[in-house]
Amino acid sequence: MRINTIIDYFMVTALIFISGSILFNQNKIALFTGFILATGLFFYRRSKFDVSFVYFLIGLMVIFILQTFKFDFFPIITFLGVFVRILLAYFILKSVVDFPDKFVKVMYYIALISFVFYIPVLLIPDFSDVLIEKLLLYVQEGDYMQSRYSIMGLYTIVPGYEMRNPGPFWEMGAFGGFLLLSLMINYLTNPELNNKTNIVLIIAIITTQSSTAYIALLLFLTFIFNREVKNILLKIILLFSLISIGYVAYTNLDFLGKKIEKQFEDARELMNSPNLEGASTDRFASMLKDWRDFQGHEIIGRGPNKLTRFTTMYSSGLTNDIRTVGSTDLIVRFGLPFFMLILFFMYKSFSTYSRYHWKNGDYMGISIVLLILLLLTSETYFLYPLFWITIMLHYTIVEDKNGNQIEKKKTKIENKFYNLNN
């Protein structure tokens, strides 16, 4: 393997672990070290800035300036932290040769490694305790979450949830989100489901037992079937089958139906509560909190710093709070107009990338934006660098000197799923 390829895989792996691993995602030293390395690689390889991305950064800077005047507060370190996370993702995406392919491959091997730990933990009583005793590398503790144990930096153990697979990430739902993103990118690059990479990714998603990941996976399959199956009768049968599977799973799996219904009911009971301090951090309660935070700050948001971001803790003078819904968190931090700009860039990213590889852009672009919005109902992914690539994927497409997309020579793909139409 050439040195450049090794560097590429190292940088992609670093981006994933800085974004998701409990060993690194709260470590500012790791973040800034990764940023310095990514910046050096970007300029060493003489990569060029994309004009639309520069405009995006300028728009974000304007938002921060307006927030500074509105709140008479200038948290420069917080502002720089946001730019560092976005630029870290951009520099790596632009510098690494064939970034999407390498990202999918790294996630594929992360999934395989997770099985090495997950299967014994699942089958052998108290094996998780043995791993913690012998191979513990780091413990993450916090006021709002259960302790998490990093085993060699490669796997996370959450006591009481050993039946679910979190990989090296901070929780099972986060692992499911990263896996789904890699599955979607892999499908857009090579539109077939029945290859070993996709099979491993799907199995890993199933082992997370994440309600949001399950629903997103089912919808992703539905979008694919609806797009690719041409026979109307077969399309009806497949869609009915998927809906039936979803209904059975929702009504029989506790982490789907019962969990979602309980969270909704808990949030409904909080609707008329004058104070939400110490209230549940589940998705619907978080949405309710974010709605109250959002009111009066619709245009430019409240900013990313905790002193202006939260309102529910003001009466006690505290600034520590937590949100778990990524979409409403973005709206509160940056305002509704900028959030809509993020969605536009996301749509352009996936539609352009999809159209480039297999002439199908708008449908999959809209579908994947909807899926990412669904994933954001359970995790604040955009607080970390990697998910910012969802607005940048089109920058990986090669262009000629006139800015025209260069057609990629492709071999004909024989997809067994497509053959259902014959």
Side-chain angles (χ1 to χ4, degrees):
M1 184 179 291
R2 296 190 308 169
I3 184 64
N4 286 335
T5 303
I6 294 174
I7 292 173
D8 285 350
Y9 276 108
F10 173 80
M11 295 305 295
V12 172
T13 304
L15 176 62
I16 293 171
F17 275 77
I18 289 173
S19 301
S21 169
I22 66 170
L23 194 61
F24 299 107
N25 66 356
Q26 300 295 331
N27 190 318
K28 293 181 180 179
I29 295 177
L31 174 65
F32 281 96
T33 300
F35 174 70
I36 291 170
L37 292 175
T39 304
L41 186 64
F42 178 83
F43 287 104
Y44 176 76
R45 292 186 173 177
R46 299 181 180 179
S47 302
K48 296 181 180 179
F49 281 97
D50 296 277
V51 175
S52 60
F53 179 70
V54 174
Y55 289 153
F56 179 84
L57 294 180
I58 292 173
L60 181 59
M61 187 179 299
V62 170
I63 293 292
F64 286 160
I65 292 172
L66 293 175
Q67 289 174 349
T68 297
F69 283 110
K70 180 175 183 177
F71 296 105
D72 193 24
F73 179 57
F74 183 55
I76 184 171
I77 299 300
T78 305
F79 289 162
L80 288 176
V82 175
F83 281 110
V84 164
R85 287 168 174 81
I86 296 173
L87 287 170
L88 171 61
Y90 179 77
F91 286 157
I92 292 178
L93 177 134
K94 288 286 290 185
S95 304
V96 170
V97 177
D98 200 0
F99 172 88
D101 178 67
K102 290 183 172 65
F103 167 67
V104 171
K105 286 181 179 177
V106 172
M107 285 303 304
Y108 168 77
Y109 284 108
I110 287 175
L112 289 178
I113 292 171
S114 75
F115 297 153
V116 173
F117 294 95
Y118 173 70
I119 294 174
V121 167
L122 190 65
L123 298 178
I124 303 174
D126 300 324
F127 188 71
S128 59
D129 294 334
V130 175
L131 291 176
I132 292 173
E133 181 181 351
K134 302 295 184 181
L135 301 175
L136 179 65
L137 195 59
Y138 175 73
V139 180
Q140 184 184 70
E141 297 178 344
D143 296 333
Y144 297 99
M145 63 177 71
Q146 197 168 357
S147 296
R148 286 148 164 78
Y149 300 87
S150 179
I151 306 303
M152 300 175 63
L154 300 174
Y155 190 76
T156 302
I157 291 178
V158 185
Y161 295 89
E162 288 86 356
M163 298 290 289
R164 302 172 61 187
N165 181 6
F169 295 85
W170 70 85
E171 72 163 13
M172 306 76 178
F175 190 27
F178 278 67
L179 289 166
L180 270 159
L181 179 59
S182 57
L183 177 66
M184 291 185 290
I185 291 176
N186 194 43
Y187 180 80
L188 294 185
T189 305
N190 186 6
E192 58 177 22
L193 284 175
N194 58 333
N195 60 56
K196 67 174 183 178
T197 298
N198 286 340
I199 291 172
V200 168
L201 293 175
I202 290 173
I203 292 174
I205 291 170
I206 293 172
T207 63
T208 66
Q209 298 186 36
S210 164
S211 56
T212 304
Y214 275 34
I215 296 171
L217 176 61
L218 186 65
L219 284 177
F220 181 56
L221 295 176
T222 302
F223 290 145
I224 292 173
F225 292 165
N226 183 60
R227 173 66 178 82
E228 301 302 341
V229 175
K230 305 303 181 185
N231 184 288
I232 298 299
L233 178 59
L234 183 57
K235 179 180 291 192
I236 293 174
I237 294 173
L238 286 170
L239 289 178
F240 179 77
S241 299
L242 285 172
I243 292 172
S244 300
I245 292 171
Y247 176 77
V248 171
Y250 183 86
T251 55
N252 288 278
L253 297 177
D254 290 345
F255 62 89
L256 276 175
K258 290 184 179 180
K259 174 183 175 182
I260 293 173
E261 290 170 9
K262 183 181 184 303
Q263 290 179 355
F264 182 80
E265 183 62 27
D266 290 344
R268 193 177 66 82
E269 293 176 357
L270 294 172
M271 287 289 292
N272 298 320
S273 176
N275 194 319
L276 298 180
E277 289 183 31
S280 170
T281 60
D282 292 334
R283 74 193 72 197
F284 297 115
S286 285
M287 288 180 183
L288 180 59
K289 290 181 181 181
D290 282 339
W291 169 246
R292 295 191 181 182
D293 292 336
F294 176 66
Q295 294 175 354
H297 307 278
E298 294 85 357
I299 306 301
I300 62 172
R302 302 186 63 98
N305 190 277
K306 290 188 292 185
L307 287 174
T308 59
R309 165 62 179 86
F310 302 111
T311 59
T312 56
M313 305 295 282
Y314 276 4
S315 62
S316 62
L318 299 175
T319 58
N320 291 321
D321 208 340
I322 189 171
R323 297 292 186 271
T324 58
V325 178
S327 53
T328 54
D329 181 69
L330 280 173
I331 294 172
V332 174
R333 289 173 185 269
F334 304 119
L336 186 58
F338 193 76
F339 176 73
M340 298 304 294
L341 180 63
I342 290 175
L343 294 185
F344 170 75
F345 267 76
M346 196 181 295
Y347 163 75
K348 181 176 177 60
S349 171
F350 284 105
S351 62
T352 303
Y353 185 82
S354 177
R355 187 180 301 111
Y356 173 69
H357 283 281
W358 53 295
K359 306 299 183 184
N360 178 21
D362 294 338
Y363 177 82
M364 290 308 297
I366 293 173
S367 299
I368 292 179
V369 169
L370 293 175
L371 289 171
I372 291 175
L373 285 174
L374 175 59
L375 292 177
L376 287 172
T377 62
S378 65
E379 303 289 348
T380 51
Y381 289 109
F382 282 86
L383 293 182
Y384 309 99
L386 188 130
F387 258 72
W388 286 101
I389 69 169
T390 59
I391 70 169
M392 309 170 184
L393 206 58
H394 55 301
Y395 296 139
T396 63
I397 295 174
V398 179
E399 296 181 345
D400 62 21
K401 294 181 179 179
N402 298 319
N404 300 315
Q405 293 181 8
I406 300 174
E407 272 302 323
K408 199 173 185 181
K409 292 183 179 179
K410 301 185 286 289
T411 57
K412 185 176 181 180
I413 298 171
E414 294 295 334
N415 190 340
K416 292 182 180 179
F417 174 72
Y418 294 167
N419 293 337
L420 290 172
N421 299 314
N422 297 330

